[in-house]
Amino acid sequence: MSHKKVTGDTSSRAELDAFRELQQLAYQAAGDVAVTLEPGVTEREAARRIREHLEARGVQDWFHTPFAWFGDRTAFRNFRIPLQFFPTGRRLEEGMPFILDCAPVRDGYVADIGYSGYLGENPLHDRLMDDLRAHRGLIVEKVREGHTLQDVYRAVDALIREQGYDNRHRVYPGRVIAHQVGRVESRLPRAIVAGFGIRSLQTLFGDLLVERMHHRSPLWADGDISAHPATPGLWAVEPHIGFRDMGVKFEEILVVTPDDAYWLDEDLPHVRRWGTRSPVGVGTSEETATA
C-alpha cells in the first residue's frame, strides 16, 4: 500500500485538478439525485441512486459508500453506534430536511462531500444554511494563521454556540470535523467492508501509523491528538450544525500548504447559494427559534 500525499504545490497542480473534477462530479451526483427525491422515497433508495449515478460515470471504488439522512436523522439525534449512520428505511416527507453524503474514488483520487437540502419549503433550514457560511470563512482563516487543529475546532464550537446551535460533527466516530485525503494506491482487490472501501481503510490506517510517529493525526478532532497545525495536504472538512431535530452541513476539500490554506473549489452548490444571498450576521437562538 502507498498513499501519495498531495501538498498543493506547483508540481501537483494536475493532481489538484483531478481532485477538483471528482469533487465536482460527487456534488453533481448529489444535486442530480436531490431533484429526483419525492415523498415516500427511503434513505436506502436515495443512497442507491447516488451510487449508481457515480458508478455510471467512472467511479471504481469508495472511501465510503453513499449515505442519506432524512428528518431528525440529519441532526444525528440519539445516535449511539456506528451502524446508525447507515441508510435506513426512513421515508422522506414534505418539508423534511435531508443530507446526502458520498466519498467516491476514481483512478486513485478521492472526494468526500456533503449536500444539505429539503423537500418543498423549509425556512428554518435556509437560516441554518445561511449561518453555516461563517464557518467556511472561519476555518480557512484559522488554518491559514497556523492555529492548531484543536484550537480551530474549538473556535468552530464557539461560533456554533454563539449562533444558538449545537455541534453535530462531535457525534461522528472520533468526534472528527475533518480527515486527510490523498491519492490511494493499493494492490488489494476492490471490496467494501462495513460501508468502507478496504483500499481506503488500508490507506487510513497507514496514515494513522505514520502520523502518530510524528505526533500528528490525519483525523481532526478536539482532543490533544489534534494539538498541532494542519499537516500540509488535502483535508475533507465537514462542519455540521444542528438546531432541535434538524442538521445541516457541507463537506469539501481544504488544501493546506506549508505557508497557506485555501478551499480547493469556489464553484460548489453551497458557495454558489451564498453568493446569491445577502450576507447574514451571527444568529441567536431566539431568532432561530422564531424562523
Side-chain angles (χ1 to χ4, degrees):
M1 176 276 297
S2 66
H3 176 197
K4 187 174 181 181
K5 182 168 286 187
V6 179
T7 59
D9 58 22
T10 304
S11 64
S12 63
R13 193 57 50 186
E15 290 185 313
L16 288 179
D17 288 343
F19 279 103
R20 184 183 299 108
E21 182 180 345
L22 182 58
Q23 182 172 259
Q24 281 277 351
L25 182 66
Y27 262 110
Q28 184 66 50
D32 287 350
V33 169
V35 299
T36 72
L37 299 180
E38 65 281 336
V41 69
T42 66
E43 292 178 343
R44 291 192 188 98
E45 172 63 18
R48 184 189 63 79
R49 292 180 188 180
I50 296 171
R51 182 167 183 164
E52 292 179 350
H53 187 292
L54 287 168
E55 289 178 344
R57 288 160 178 80
V59 166
Q60 306 126 332
D61 201 0
W62 302 89
F63 177 71
H64 67 70
T65 53
F67 294 109
W69 302 298
F70 295 168
D72 62 345
R73 284 174 49 79
T74 61
F76 298 163
R77 299 302 181 193
N78 301 311
F79 278 30
R80 298 287 183 268
I81 59 175
L83 289 176
Q84 290 177 284
F85 288 94
F86 288 97
T88 70
R90 171 69 65 86
R91 295 186 181 278
L92 194 63
E93 299 175 9
E94 192 71 23
M96 185 178 279
F98 59 80
I99 296 176
L100 306 177
D101 186 304
C102 63
V105 179
R106 188 175 66 175
D107 299 331
Y109 296 98
V110 181
D112 198 348
I113 67 98
Y115 181 102
S116 295
Y118 54 87
L119 188 65
E121 296 184 4
N122 193 318
L124 179 56
H125 189 282
D126 285 336
R127 180 56 186 268
L128 266 69
M129 279 300 298
D130 284 344
D131 284 346
L132 192 59
R133 179 182 191 175
H135 294 275
R136 191 174 189 266
L138 174 68
I139 289 167
V140 70
E141 176 186 354
K142 294 292 184 181
V143 171
R144 187 177 287 153
E145 291 173 352
H147 293 271
T148 69
L149 296 178
Q150 182 184 49
D151 285 343
V152 180
Y153 191 110
R154 291 173 177 175
V156 170
D157 241 1
L159 178 56
I160 292 172
R161 290 192 298 270
E162 185 179 354
Q163 291 174 322
Y165 306 133
D166 63 303
N167 171 344
R168 303 318 299 158
H169 44 265
R170 68 182 180 185
V171 184
Y172 288 102
R175 299 173 59 90
V176 298
I177 191 176
H179 59 86
Q180 277 195 286
V181 296
R183 191 171 180 185
V184 176
E185 297 173 346
S186 173
R187 295 181 180 179
L188 290 176
R190 294 189 181 100
I192 303 298
V193 177
F196 285 82
I198 60 170
R199 292 182 172 199
S200 296
L201 286 177
Q202 183 188 33
T203 295
L204 179 59
F205 289 138
D207 285 351
L208 281 167
L209 291 174
V210 171
E211 292 297 295
R212 288 305 293 145
M213 291 173 62
H214 295 89
H215 307 289
R216 301 188 302 249
S217 173
L219 304 177
W220 177 350
D222 57 346
D224 290 341
I225 196 172
S226 296
H228 62 85
T231 307
L234 308 184
W235 293 81
V237 186
E238 51 183 330
H240 190 155
I241 64 177
F243 181 72
R244 297 177 180 168
D245 287 338
M246 185 182 302
V248 302
K249 74 165 186 172
F250 65 82
E251 184 173 10
E252 57 173 303
I253 293 175
L254 179 71
V255 182
V256 179
T257 71
D259 55 6
D260 196 10
Y262 57 92
W263 296 106
L264 177 63
D265 195 349
E266 293 295 331
D267 186 26
L268 297 177
H270 49 284
V271 182
R272 292 195 298 269
R273 176 189 186 278
W274 293 326
T276 64
R277 299 170 68 87
S278 300
V280 294
V282 173
T284 68
S285 56
E286 181 179 358
E287 290 171 325
T288 304
T290 58

